[in-house]
Amino acid sequence: MPRFPGTPFRDDLFEGQVALVTGGATGMGRSIAHAFAAHGADVHILSRNEEHLADAAASIEKETGRKVAWHRCDVREPDQVEAAFAKLPRLDHLVNSAAGNFVVPFETMSRNAWSTVVNIVLNGTFNATRAAFPLLSRQGGTVTNMVATYAWGAAPYVSHSGAAKAGVLNLTRSLAVEWAQFGIRLNAVAPGPVKSEGATKNLFADPALQQKIEDSVPLRRFGTPEEMALAVLYLASPAASYVTGDCLTIDGGQWLSNGLFS
Ligand code: HXC
C-alpha cells in the first residue's frame, strides 16, 4: 500500500482505534480521513451528500486497504448526528471538519446566510462533540477542530465564518479544561489558504486572487490538504499527549506577514 504522502508516522499508529471525521467526504476532511485510515484507524466519515460519501469511502479503501464506514448526516441536525454516533462501536478521535463558507459583504448578508454558516460551523461542532462525549469518555481520546487563522483576527467578507470559527476556537479551549478529567484532549488546527474543492469554488476561484494569496504567504504557496491532515494526526497521536487547548497554525507564515516592511 502507498504510504500517506509526507508522513513521518508509523503505518500502525492508530491500530485498534476509531476516528470519525465530519465533512470527511470532500476536501480537507477527506484527506484527514484518508490519513487516519493510512495509519491503521477504522474510519467513519459524515457528510450530507451520499454520492460524495460513497466515492470517498471507496477511494480511501482502495488506497489503504481499510474499510471506511460512511453516514449521511447534516451536522446541523442534532437527531441525525446522534443517530450516526449511535452506530459507532467505540470512538477515539473526532475531527470537526465540516464547514460552509462563501464571500458576502456583511450589509447584504441575509439572516439565513448568517445562520447557515454559523449552524454548520459552530452548532455542527457542538452537535458532534456533544454526541461524541459518551464514547470518548470511556477510554479517553481527542477532538480536533478545524478553524482558520482569521478566528483570532478579522474575517472581512466572511464574517459569518469568522464569528463561527472564533466560537469553535473558544469552545476548544473551554472543553480542553472541562474534559481533561476524562482523558480527552481538544485542540484546533488553523489552516491558511488550501485549495480544497469547497474553498477554491466558494472563496478564491479567480486566478488573480489566487496569485495575490500566494504573494501574501511567506512560503509563497498554498498549503495542501495532506499537510493539514498530518497536523491533525500529530495532535491525535501520543506525541501530543501533553498538548491540549492549543491551536496549531499551518499557514506558511501568512498571518504574520502584514508587517510594514514585509
Ligand atoms: C450570499 C449566499 C451565498 C453567496 C449561499 N447564500 N451562498 N449568500 N452569497 N455566495 C445564502 C443563500 O442565499 C441562503 O440565504 C443561505 O445562504 C443558505 O443557502 P443554501 O444554499 O440554501 O444553503 P445550503 O444548501 O445549506 O448550503 C450551505 C452552503 C453551501 C454553505 C451555502 O454552499 C456549502 O456547503 N458550501 C461548500 C462548503 C465550503 O465552502 N467548504 C469550505 C469552507 S473553507 P437566503 O436568505 O437566500 O435563504 C473555510 C475556511 C476558509 O471555511 C479559510 C480560508 C483561508
Side-chain angles (χ1 to χ4, degrees):
M1 285 296 158
R3 299 207 75 213
F4 190 78
T7 185
F9 301 116
R10 287 192 333 255
D11 289 349
D12 63 349
L13 183 63
F14 296 107
E15 197 77 55
Q17 299 191 356
V18 176
L20 183 146
V21 185
T22 73
T26 51
M28 216 179 287
R30 178 175 173 151
S31 192
I32 294 164
H34 181 185
F36 270 106
H39 293 82
D42 289 332
V43 173
H44 295 251
I45 54 176
L46 264 52
S47 158
R48 280 180 290 169
N49 186 312
E50 216 161 294
E51 210 178 304
H52 292 165
L53 283 163
D55 178 64
S59 80
I60 296 171
E61 283 177 14
K62 197 165 155 222
E63 292 213 41
T64 64
R66 298 199 70 89
K67 191 115 195 72
V68 175
W70 57 265
H71 312 272
R72 209 201 68 74
C73 170
D74 186 333
V75 291
R76 291 172 283 192
E77 300 297 333
D79 293 348
Q80 292 183 23
V81 175
E82 294 287 341
F85 278 75
K87 296 189 185 117
L88 301 184
R90 66 178 272 156
L91 182 65
D92 300 275
H93 306 289
L94 166 66
V95 182
N96 285 303
S97 185
N101 206 353
F102 45 82
V103 178
V104 56
F106 185 79
E107 63 277 16
T108 62
M109 189 186 300
S110 72
R111 267 194 192 85
N112 193 32
W114 169 267
S115 57
T116 295
V117 170
V118 172
N119 273 334
I120 297 170
V121 174
L122 182 56
N123 297 336
T125 298
F126 169 85
N127 291 333
T129 308
R130 184 69 192 81
F133 178 76
L135 291 159
L136 288 175
S137 58
R138 277 189 209 154
Q139 74 287 312
T142 71
V143 179
T144 307
N145 293 326
M146 304 309 288
V147 295
T149 51
Y150 54 60
W152 57 86
Y157 306 106
V158 286
S159 56
H160 43 12
S161 173
K165 297 283 192 189
V168 171
L169 182 56
N170 194 270
L171 181 68
T172 307
R173 293 174 177 145
S174 300
L175 295 187
V177 178
E178 285 192 37
W179 288 0
Q181 63 182 314
F182 303 110
I184 304 171
R185 294 186 297 104
L186 292 99
N187 290 290
V189 169
V194 172
K195 281 186 194 161
S196 68
E197 302 99 278
T200 305
K201 180 167 143 252
N202 294 311
L203 301 178
F204 32 76
D206 177 7
L209 177 58
Q210 292 184 13
Q211 186 60 52
K212 196 172 149 206
I213 290 170
E214 263 175 21
D215 291 344
S216 74
V217 177
L219 290 179
R220 293 287 179 265
R221 64 173 175 85
F222 279 74
T224 66
E226 289 78 16
E227 287 171 317
M228 308 307 141
L230 289 173
V232 173
L233 288 201
Y234 161 69
L235 289 169
S237 79
S241 53
Y242 203 50
V243 182
T244 196
D246 201 16
C247 179
L248 184 47
T249 301
I250 312 195
D251 72 338
Q254 189 196 32
W255 86 277
L256 300 169
S257 68
N258 287 327
L260 210 51
F261 307 106
S262 63

